[in-house]
Amino acid sequence: MTGTTKKVRDPSASASSLARLLRERDQLFQLHEALADIERARTLDERLRILVDAVRQIGYGRVTTVDGDTAPQNANVVASISHSVFLDSDELLVPLRAVDGTTVATLILGDPAEKGTPTLARVRTVELFAQQVASMIENARLYEQSLRERGRGEALADIARAVSSSLRLKDVMQLGLRHAVALLRTEGAALGVLRDDQVILVAGLGAGEPLIGAPVPVNASVTGRAIRERRTVICNDANVDDAYAPTRIAAGVERTLIAPLFSNTGPIGALSVINRDTEFTEDDAVVLQRLADQVAVAVANARLYEEARAAADRYRQAVDDERRARDAVGQSEARYRNLFETATDAIYTLDTHGSFTDVNEATCEMSGRRRSELLGRSPLSLIASREVAAVSEHFKSALAGSPRRYECHFVRADGSRRLASVTNTPIRHASNVIGILGVARDVTDERERALALERSEARYTRLVESASDAIFTVESGGLLTAVNRSLERSSGQPRGDLLGAPFVSLIDSRDQVLAAQALRETFTGQRRRVELRYPAANGELRLCSLTLTPLMERERVTGALGIVRDVTDEKRLTEQLMQQEKLAAVGQLVSGVAHELNNPLASVIAFAQLLLATPLDAPYDRQAIEAINQESRRAAKIVSNLLTFARQHQPERRVADINRVIDDTLELRRYALRTASVDVETRFDEHLPLTWADPFQLQQVVLNLLTNAEHALSTWDGDRRLRVSTEFVGNDLIVRVTDSGPGISPEHLPRVFNPFFTTKPVGEGTGLGLSISDGIVREHGGRIRAESRIGQGASFIIELPYVAPPLPEHPKISEAGPRTANNRRILVVDDEPAIRSAIAKYFRSLGHTVDMAASGRDAIACATATEYDALLLDLRLPDISGDRVLAELRVLAREPERVVFMTGDTQSESTRRALGAVGRPVISKPFLLDELAAVVLAEPETSRLS
């Protein structure tokens, strides 16, 4: 059980930290005891043995010492820790440094109890101990040496007083060199100190100054011979065999006199004088040797003084270090106690019998018992009865030296059962386990949360995997990072191939740019929804609705969640419903259209009868002919409007004139509105811009609104007025349809756009008209809304965003009107005799030669026998279609230069396919003869007039 305001720490980390503190404390105590043993030891070997044993007790199985700072061969440095080096062989190199920083030896610690790079605290503990031992060893050596040197120095004190008046080594050497140059009248002198098998020239005067720092080998030099033979060497010829060339050349030595420097401990170097006009003699050798003996004593004394002073400093430092170490131990104890008492985890110690010897406050809170109730008591009494045996085995394993970690249930003082995560670690003294350190944490709530999270994740996984929609996630680069089974099925690719693949690779190439743009906008924090085409597993091109949602982590978009729903069937159903609505409207329009057709047909028949009754020799009545022509055009337009509305069109955006769409739709309903006594008022904005939209879909929206208004007014006893207006406001095109009927009740107004909602009697409405209208307007990026009050009519407002049409292409158009120049031979093919005859008569009047055919086979026969300049061909013939006629003429190489198709159906799918395949101009029936001539006689660039 943990405190409510404490941060819960990782149990393994807390246990590790506590265990390390305990080890550091025990090791400091052990090293402190070892220091006392080393100080009491009499010999250097005995002190080194105690040092090795002490280091082994703190966790290193192998301890060796080497002189200086030598490292093992073939070893690579892993890390430098404090002044020590850790190698890849798990060996730690700890220098034994004197106070002046020189390394007198190196400890190589191997076979550590804890593998891996040691902690800084552990290394510093070993270094502190090593430094104190080094100081003691150095002090002892210096002390012994000082005793020897002091005895010999006193015997020669009177002789050496002149050169030993100073105890500074540098001053002593310079004084000796000056005396040597003065006594022997040489150009210079040099003094070298023996180090191993070399003499290092450490001081120089005159000609000897360039030699300072130069090493001279003992076994291959005159200086070395003087030391080896313990006598002064006279060399009046510098070219002897054992002359050391580098120093001879550097100082320009021609003759030299070299005396060895010996102390009571042996050779310490050599004193040499360099060059003079006369040769050196034996007397000179005696003088230099005596001076060398005095200098040797003085050098030894000066060195002894400096070393003794350094030893004293090191001793004081060692005392200070020991005091600081004791203080550090005290501080460590305080930190340990503070950590122990303030830890949020339960921390306790057990003796070898398994009884509590110490517990912290968290242990009391977790168990619900006071400290006095726990101390001396076995923790097994708190454990659930079924788990006592297992916990007892864990305790025995820890007591045997193996740390244990396990979970068990315990019972609090209030009887509640809780789950704890427990770590038991042996407490060691030397190699003996003297107790157990335990760390426990109440993990009941944590386990319950983890279990709940696991169940939630399992439910989420099942939900995602069983979803019928394809679900995926992508990273910022657009690569798929997760997919569900539905995406595998729809794409026909296994999950392994999909993961890591670009998301846009699943989209049809024509929509990949749109998909990539939507993904980029999603990574800016926007939620996007787009409709895209994609190839299904069976190769079929289908339509999907993609919703992309940004995935946020720490207020940053790190990915995107995509949900894909196949809307192909839904779109088809919507289109079918729309077509059904159209057909239903057509059914309502038929009677009105028939009446509208009867009027111009009656006029045509009447004027035609008048013309037939006129004598042949009487002048023709032009007014009657113009009336027939005008009424025929009127009938053609009525039929054209009805066919255009009734045909099923694929959704396609094009340049749309909203005013014209409304005007054409009103024409379809004008008779019905007139018979229902509805006054229609239009207020069109003359400056309304052309927009980019689907005019056929918008016509259906307007027709639905007009039909609803007409239905509302048909049973209304008041004024029956219908007003349709347009205006351009801001960047929106506004269409408003307002009636003066009974209005819509408040409870029905919010539901009028719901599918299948209708207030009409059964059998008079499907309830889909306004719903489909709402969908069409939304697809155009706009919205439709209704406003109404009971008894004051209703208004439906369409708000469409203005979309500028793309720049139109301007094809080259030939001149309009008939062309009479260049007489042409024309073949007219149509199964209607009247049309065939009228066309032939018209082109003959223009001066062209015209042949006629009533069927496709007749046309092929004519074209085979005669070469024509132009072919005017009906698309629907009684035997074979017009496109097949053209195909056979191409095979026979009898295709005229100009071919124009005629048809009364330019909107059906089969007609579109046929005309698209042949790539020839087409003109729609009915047509004006002048328009027909403009197409037939035009230049090849004119492609279509329909």
Side-chain angles (χ1 to χ4, degrees), residues 357-372:
T357 57
D358 198 1
V359 296
N360 67 346
E361 185 62 30
T363 306
C364 300
E365 294 178 2
M366 182 172 168
S367 64
R369 294 172 173 84
R370 294 189 299 274
R371 192 186 304 262
S372 59

Side-chain angles (χ1 to χ4, degrees), residues 18 22 113 185 308 405 418 449 463 565 686 712 860:
L18 181 59
L22 292 174
R185 298 182 298 279
R405 184 173 182 177
R418 308 287 291 178
R449 287 193 299 269
L463 176 64
R565 173 169 294 178
E686 297 180 356
I860 295 173

Side-chain angles (χ1 to χ4, degrees), residues 22 57 87 202 206 255 273 354 449 483 535 539 631 670 865 873 877 905:
L22 292 174
Q57 289 180 4
L87 306 179
V202 296
R255 54 176 61 94
V273 290
R449 287 193 299 269
V483 298
E631 292 301 309
R670 194 171 299 279
L873 183 60
L877 294 171
D905 177 20

Side-chain angles (χ1 to χ4, degrees), residues 550-846:
L551 298 177
M552 309 292 293
E553 288 185 11
R554 299 178 181 176
E555 299 182 356
R556 186 172 65 90
V557 180
T558 59
L561 170 68
I563 300 177
V564 181
R565 173 169 294 178
D566 190 307
V567 296
T568 308
D569 298 334
E570 180 181 335
K571 282 290 182 181
R572 290 173 181 168
L573 179 60
T574 301
E575 291 173 3
Q576 292 172 3
L577 289 174
M578 292 174 64
Q579 186 64 16
Q580 289 177 4
E581 281 291 305
K582 279 188 177 182
L583 295 177
V586 168
Q588 297 175 7
L589 292 172
V590 166
S591 60
V593 170
H595 186 274
E596 288 292 303
L597 281 174
N598 285 334
N599 290 330
L601 287 177
S603 300
V604 169
I605 292 171
F607 281 109
Q609 288 176 343
L610 288 174
L611 289 175
L612 289 173
T614 302
L616 293 177
D617 56 348
Y620 71 91
D621 188 349
R622 183 174 181 83
Q623 182 179 3
I625 295 174
E626 288 180 351
I628 292 173
N629 181 52
Q630 185 67 30
E631 292 301 309
S632 298
R633 291 189 180 188
R634 176 184 170 194
K637 183 176 181 182
I638 293 172
V639 173
S640 176
N641 286 343
L642 181 62
L643 289 177
T644 300
F645 175 75
R647 290 189 187 101
Q648 185 170 3
H649 301 273
Q650 292 296 325
E652 182 182 3
R653 300 294 174 93
R654 62 184 67 181
V655 179
D657 183 346
I658 302 298
N659 288 341
R660 181 170 180 178
V661 168
I662 297 173
D663 199 33
D664 290 346
T665 309
L666 282 170
E667 282 297 322
L668 292 175
R669 299 300 301 174
R670 194 171 299 279
Y671 172 75
L673 292 169
R674 187 166 61 248
T675 57
S677 302
V678 176
D679 294 331
V680 179
E681 176 187 357
T682 56
R683 296 180 182 178
F684 293 160
D685 185 346
E686 297 180 356
H687 303 290
L688 196 71
L690 300 178
T691 188
W692 190 250
D694 188 331
F696 302 108
Q697 288 187 336
L698 295 180
Q699 185 181 34
Q700 184 170 358
V701 173
V702 175
L703 182 62
N704 287 336
L705 298 181
L706 294 178
T707 302
N708 286 346
E710 177 190 338
H711 182 271
L713 292 171
S714 63
T715 58
W716 180 244
D717 295 333
D719 292 338
R720 298 181 179 182
R721 295 188 308 277
L722 176 63
R723 183 172 67 251
V724 183
S725 63
T726 61
E727 59 180 328
F728 189 47
V729 179
N731 196 49
D732 291 334
L733 304 171
I734 309 298
V735 178
R736 189 182 299 268
V737 179
T738 303
D739 66 72
S740 61
I744 304 172
S745 64
E747 63 271 17
H748 290 162
L749 190 61
R751 303 169 58 195
V752 293
F753 295 106
N754 293 349
F756 304 108
F757 175 79
T758 180
T759 58
K760 299 176 183 178
V762 176
E764 293 188 17
T766 62
L768 292 174
L770 289 179
S771 175
I772 291 175
S773 299
D774 179 60
I776 292 173
V777 173
R778 288 182 182 274
E779 286 185 359
H780 282 74
R783 68 183 188 122
I784 183 172
R785 53 191 174 87
E787 297 176 352
S788 178
R789 290 185 180 180
I790 293 295
Q792 298 183 17
S795 292
F796 286 84
I797 300 96
I798 301 172
E799 299 174 358
L800 293 175
Y802 167 68
V803 179
L807 294 176
E809 298 180 358
H810 298 285
K812 182 178 179 180
I813 304 299
S814 301
E815 296 179 3
R819 297 177 51 176
T820 59
N822 300 328
N823 179 274
R824 297 187 181 185
R825 193 171 190 88
I826 303 172
L827 176 60
V828 178
V829 184
D830 198 300
D831 59 336
E832 291 288 340
I835 296 178
R836 191 169 64 240
S837 177
I839 294 174
K841 188 174 182 179
Y842 174 72
F843 279 106
R844 287 169 182 159
S845 70
L846 297 179

Side-chain angles (χ1 to χ4, degrees), residues 20-94:
R20 188 174 66 251
L21 289 174
L22 292 174
R23 285 197 302 273
E24 290 178 5
R25 183 191 64 182
D26 293 342
Q27 290 167 4
L28 285 174
F29 286 151
Q30 291 171 6
L31 296 179
H32 183 71
E33 293 174 359
L35 285 176
D37 294 338
I38 291 174
E39 191 171 6
R40 288 192 296 269
R42 296 186 177 185
T43 65
L44 179 60
D45 291 340
E46 186 177 358
R47 290 175 177 176
L48 288 175
R49 180 185 57 77
I50 296 172
L51 165 65
V52 170
D53 291 342
V55 174
R56 284 176 177 167
Q57 289 180 4
I58 63 173
Y60 289 95
R62 176 168 50 83
V63 182
T64 56
T65 60
V66 294
D67 294 335
D69 54 357
T70 305
Q73 295 182 350
N74 301 324
N76 297 318
V77 175
V78 174
S80 295
I81 309 172
S82 185
H83 300 295
S84 302
V85 176
F86 181 70
L87 306 179
D88 57 359
S89 57
D90 278 346
E91 294 178 318
L92 181 67
L93 305 186
V94 181

Side-chain angles (χ1 to χ4, degrees), residues 171-193:
D171 294 343
V172 168
M173 290 189 292
Q174 289 296 324
L175 183 60
L177 293 177
R178 287 198 298 271
H179 276 283
V181 170
L183 288 173
L184 299 175
R185 298 182 298 279
T186 60
E187 296 178 3
L191 190 147
V193 177

